[in-house]
Amino acid sequence: MKKNQDFIKRENQNLILDLIQEHELIARAKLAKLANMSPTTVSRITTSLIDIGLVKETNQYTTGVGRKATLLSLNPDSLISIGVELDEKKIRLGFFDFLGKAIITEEIEKEVKDSPETVITYLKQTIFQVIETHHLSRNKIIGVCVGIPGWVDNKNGVVVKSAQLGWENAAFGQKLQEVLPFQVLVDNELKLKAYAEKMFRKDKIEHTIVVIDFGSGVGSALIVGGDVYRGFLNAAGEIGHTIVNPNGMLCTCGNIGCLQTYVAEGFLIQEASKQSDASSLEDIVEAAQYGHKWAVNILERAITYAAITVNNSVCMNNPDKVILTGKLIEQTDYLKDRILKESRNRIWLPLSDSTTIEISRLGKNGVILGAGMQSQREYINQLNYEKELV
């Protein structure tokens, strides 16, 4: 019974916060109507949120002759959360206010295929350096969430398997927690980006959404009923390691012919190096635009497999929306346009009219934004138990 009551309290509080964020300025009466709660319940929740500084009252405004209402809004300066993304050769870092606005973002060229301990030491130094350089208040920082490519046990902070980083059964979250004074969360990077997509979409319809990432690896995330679907072990969406050719190339995961060996950036560069001195995706794209056959063949194959991935995801999940993201999509118009066109052409005809394909609007900071927001939501959820808010 206690767990059920706590769950209801948490859900009610989160709904009120989501509605305030969505409307930016809103009166208690309208909150009660939209949330389908009694005015007393809404007043109790909002009073508690005001007391701890997450919500603030604005100046009164006139709604009619002699009538005034006090509006509520989120207090952006009430807290700061940190979002981190680890990629093969980059670390992205962001500090966010309560509205999800970036206070500071940094992108650091860094070889992440080091030991977890080496990365933890570097992250600690970098986070504290940013705090000191930008004179941020440590007291406002409520947590840090790290997005990592691969299979992550988010409940225990363990990186079970990350082919991109070369980590296996790494207790990354626990070890990072030992050196930071803030709450530490660890999660799959694309699930965090999908969470950001859900949080910051302007259309608030509860879509069933598949987010597919084509970058240093290939991954997907499914949003159902407004929540990210995780599967039994938080491994749902590891589509990059589905086998598409049992006689194909060796994947970094140890299997043969994984999907990502035909689409992921590192494998495309590996193939290109057999024909040229190309050392980046940009080099391959440039060569293809100049008509070099080897480059055209490599990219056409990647485009074909990317489109097959979209079709397979649509057939398996029947979403009404597919969102494409990742370096192949967001940093190269040549590939973006071709993948979009080929994906639309390959969707199984009976489902083609029920699914739209879009490009993510979050850009390269989508993971750190989702990580920052996830950290905030975890902090808020814990307030129910620690401070008996509602």
Side-chain angles (χ1 to χ4, degrees), residues 100-119:
K101 181 180 179 182
I103 302 169
I104 299 145
T105 62
E106 292 195 1
E107 181 174 299
I108 305 160
E109 297 290 336
K110 169 73 175 173
E111 181 64 54
V112 183
K113 280 191 173 182
D114 291 323
S115 69
E117 290 76 16
T118 301
V119 175

Side-chain angles (χ1 to χ4, degrees), residues 320-333:
D320 53 307
K321 196 176 294 293
V322 175
I323 298 176
L324 304 182
T325 183
K327 187 172 182 179
L328 270 68
I329 298 292
E330 294 165 359
Q331 296 185 30
T332 55
D333 288 338

Side-chain angles (χ1 to χ4, degrees), residues 168-187:
E168 189 168 349
N169 294 321
F172 185 82
Q174 177 185 342
K175 292 178 180 178
L176 183 60
Q177 185 68 80
E178 291 172 358
V179 301
L180 291 180
F182 330 113
Q183 182 185 41
V184 172
L185 302 175
V186 179
D187 206 344

Side-chain angles (χ1 to χ4, degrees), residues 199-381:
M199 287 286 293
F200 292 96
R201 293 194 69 80
K202 291 184 179 180
D203 55 334
K204 295 300 179 179
I205 300 171
E206 294 292 358
H207 295 287
T208 299
I209 302 174
V210 173
V211 182
I212 304 176
D213 182 276
F214 300 113
S216 61
V218 180
S220 68
L222 177 65
I223 301 175
V224 181
D227 294 320
V228 178
Y229 176 71
R230 294 183 173 275
F232 180 54
L233 296 173
N234 197 38
E238 287 295 326
I239 197 170
H241 296 291
T242 56
I243 296 174
V244 295
N245 182 359
N247 299 311
M249 291 182 284
L250 176 66
C251 180
T252 48
C253 75
N255 266 337
I256 301 291
C258 288
L259 170 65
Q260 74 171 20
T261 63
Y262 293 91
V263 186
E265 179 185 12
F267 288 96
L268 300 183
I269 296 171
Q270 181 179 321
E271 282 295 292
S273 66
K274 299 174 183 178
Q275 304 288 336
S276 71
D277 59 355
S279 60
S280 68
L281 180 62
E282 291 78 9
D283 290 342
I284 304 172
V285 171
E286 183 179 4
Q289 290 173 325
Y290 276 107
H292 292 283
K293 191 173 181 179
W294 62 265
V296 172
N297 289 339
I298 289 172
L299 294 183
E300 286 301 313
R301 187 178 65 177
I303 290 164
T304 297
Y305 276 100
I308 289 172
T309 303
V310 173
N311 173 68
N312 291 352
S313 296
V314 170
C315 289
M316 285 188 291
N317 300 303
N318 190 205
D320 53 307
K321 196 176 294 293
V322 175
I323 298 176
L324 304 182
T325 183
K327 187 172 182 179
L328 270 68
I329 298 292
E330 294 165 359
Q331 296 185 30
T332 55
D333 288 338
Y334 174 88
L335 285 174
K336 177 187 72 175
D337 295 339
R338 292 283 288 109
I339 290 173
L340 268 178
K341 181 179 179 180
E342 189 69 15
S343 296
R344 287 168 177 150
N345 289 339
R346 281 188 178 267
I347 289 181
W348 185 40
L349 190 58
L351 297 180
S352 60
D353 291 335
S354 66
T355 300
T356 60
I357 305 175
E358 300 178 2
I359 304 299
S360 173
R361 302 168 191 169
L362 299 178
K364 64 182 181 180
N365 287 332
V367 174
I368 60 175
L369 175 58
M373 295 301 97
Q374 184 66 38
S375 184
Q376 292 183 18
R377 183 50 54 98
E378 184 67 18
Y379 166 76
I380 291 165
N381 285 343

